Amino acid sequence: MAAVEENWQMKLSTIKERTTVIFNNELLSDVKFVVPASETETETRKTIAAHKLVLAISSPVFYAMFYGHLAEARDCVELPDCEYDSLLEFLRYLYSDKANLTVSNVMHVLYLADKYMVPSLAEKCSEYLRENLSAANVFSILPHAKKIEDKDLEDRCWEVIEENTEEAVTSDDFVTLERSLIESVVKRERLTVKEVDLFKAVDRWAIRESERQGITADGESKRRIIGEDIVKAIRFPLMSQKEFVSVGLDSRILNFGEMSDLMKFYNDVELTSPLPFIQTPRTDSTQLHQCYRFLSYNSPKAYWSYSGNPDVIVLSVDKSVNLHGIQHFGSEGHGYSVSTEVKDTTNNCTLVKKTGYYSSLKDEKLGYYGFTVCFDPPLCLHKSKRYVVRSLITGPMSWYGEGGKTSLECGQVQFNFYSSNWDNNGTSESRGQFSAFIFKK
């Protein structure tokens, strides 16, 4: 027992000061908590002296435990799920309204605050986590934020994941996640990571999950563990052919038909059916912008068809940008064969040309159906130069846009659009094809 001066009460003016003196002190103690000692210590168990009255006036759980109608007359409480240091800080708060929170103990203190219904301490822990959240620890915090239904903390976790995806998915905590959270990450629209690195992280998680289940981590078992929803949410078409061959094939997760279709896609061989994988780039929340050029959108019932002529638009920008892709209109459940090229108007030189078969997906922001032709590497559009965008499209009737502007600003870049004198399927600066231009400054 720690030494206490005679008449110590007289020198302390508040109840908090007096309860602080008896914290972790056998003086007047009528209950002890017993927890496992750490592996580095010679003893196997450690004890903390406490006082039922102080605990009961701080926590309804402790009140029921010590004074409720089913209260047990015990003076020793075993807590095998607690760490000594974390329990000590939890109890310190009950006695003094203070807790020495650290990155290593805050999750355990939060667990205890939630378990014993001490909301003021839970809020202090959440505040500490929000202030000290990082890509390295976000996946240890997010599951607890969801469990205690702290929406603000959960939202902040997702912000960190979106802004620092590559570092987050390569952290040690990523492979400890439940499958539902892995799915939530992979289906996220805003991520800052190359698709091949995201797939590597998922494959690493599947291998670790196989080990936990005691099964061999071959392609079949990993596919079963990952599940179809996650596999189909990986955007394999955004990988380069070299990335896919070196990582996607070696993982053995995809079946022969999927691998064959992707190899055809990479080599511009026409597919007999649409790819089952999303081809639209994820939105890089820190850099990637989408310049939508129309005010209204019309469904295929309004009639926009393809009869062999290309859709053409001319554009310029007031700042040099990297063009990562061009979004086209499509229709629900249909695919389109497309050949897209961008030319320099000064010399009629083709700067980039991409041919492929694309599946239509719904634009979650604006509601129309479309697909994106991506450029890898991206094409640099130079300030004030004019470029011709030309797409020859084969497929059923599609959505189209109206109310386009000749000039609009997006991401602090001004885009200017002009109608073309080329043979044209009807696209102009005010209506037709080319729903959005995806770029980085």
Side-chain angles (χ1 to χ4, degrees), residues 199 203 217-219 222 236 246-254:
F199 178 69
D203 187 43
D218 57 22
K222 289 192 292 183
F236 291 99
S246 63
V247 176
L249 292 184
D250 287 347
S251 73
R252 310 294 182 188
I253 288 173
L254 299 183

Side-chain angles (χ1 to χ4, degrees), residues 92 166 215 247 324-325 342 370 414:
R92 187 192 308 277
E166 183 176 359
I215 59 179
V247 176
H324 282 249
V342 181
Q414 181 174 309

Side-chain angles (χ1 to χ4, degrees), residues 111-241:
Y111 164 76
L112 292 169
D114 184 51
K115 178 180 179 179
Y116 291 104
M117 300 175 66
V118 187
S120 57
L121 177 56
E123 176 53 36
K124 286 185 179 294
C125 291
S126 295
E127 182 180 352
Y128 180 89
L129 288 170
R130 284 191 288 271
E131 293 175 352
N132 293 275
L133 193 60
S134 69
N137 63 25
V138 66
F139 283 124
S140 69
I141 294 170
L142 178 58
H144 293 278
K146 293 177 70 68
K147 182 178 180 180
I148 64 175
E149 298 181 347
D150 187 330
K151 188 65 167 57
D152 289 341
L153 179 57
E154 183 180 348
D155 288 345
R156 179 60 188 134
C157 285
W158 283 117
E159 288 177 10
V160 170
I161 292 167
E162 289 180 349
E163 294 169 4
N164 307 274
T165 313
E166 183 176 359
E167 184 179 352
V169 299
T170 54
S171 67
D172 292 338
D173 292 317
F174 183 78
V175 295
T176 68
L177 295 178
E178 293 183 357
R179 184 194 169 281
S180 60
L181 271 180
I182 297 293
E183 182 175 342
S184 295
V185 172
V186 173
K187 288 186 174 181
R188 208 79 182 170
E189 189 62 33
R190 291 181 176 273
L191 293 177
T192 50
V193 64
K194 292 181 66 175
E195 205 68 22
V196 65
D197 293 327
L198 179 62
F199 178 69
K200 285 179 183 178
V202 172
D203 187 43
R204 187 166 58 96
W205 172 83
I207 293 171
R208 184 66 62 85
E209 186 63 25
S210 298
E211 294 173 354
R212 284 192 286 265
Q213 296 184 19
I215 59 179
T216 302
D218 57 22
E220 183 179 348
S221 64
K222 289 192 292 183
R223 175 85 178 224
R224 185 173 61 254
I225 287 171
I226 293 171
E228 294 305 304
D229 288 344
I230 294 178
V231 171
K232 295 300 168 58
I234 297 290
R235 306 186 183 190
F236 291 99
L238 301 186
M239 299 180 190
S240 68
Q241 182 173 330

Side-chain angles (χ1 to χ4, degrees), residues 29-35 45-52 55 62 65-66 72-80 87 116:
S29 172
D30 52 1
V31 66
K32 287 183 174 62
F33 290 97
V34 181
V35 297
R45 304 198 307 171
K46 300 184 73 171
T47 62
I48 300 175
H51 307 78
K52 293 180 180 180
L55 303 181
F62 283 134
M65 183 186 297
F66 299 133
E72 299 179 18
R74 53 176 174 164
D75 57 5
C76 187
V77 179
E78 298 271 354
L79 296 177
L87 179 60
Y116 291 104

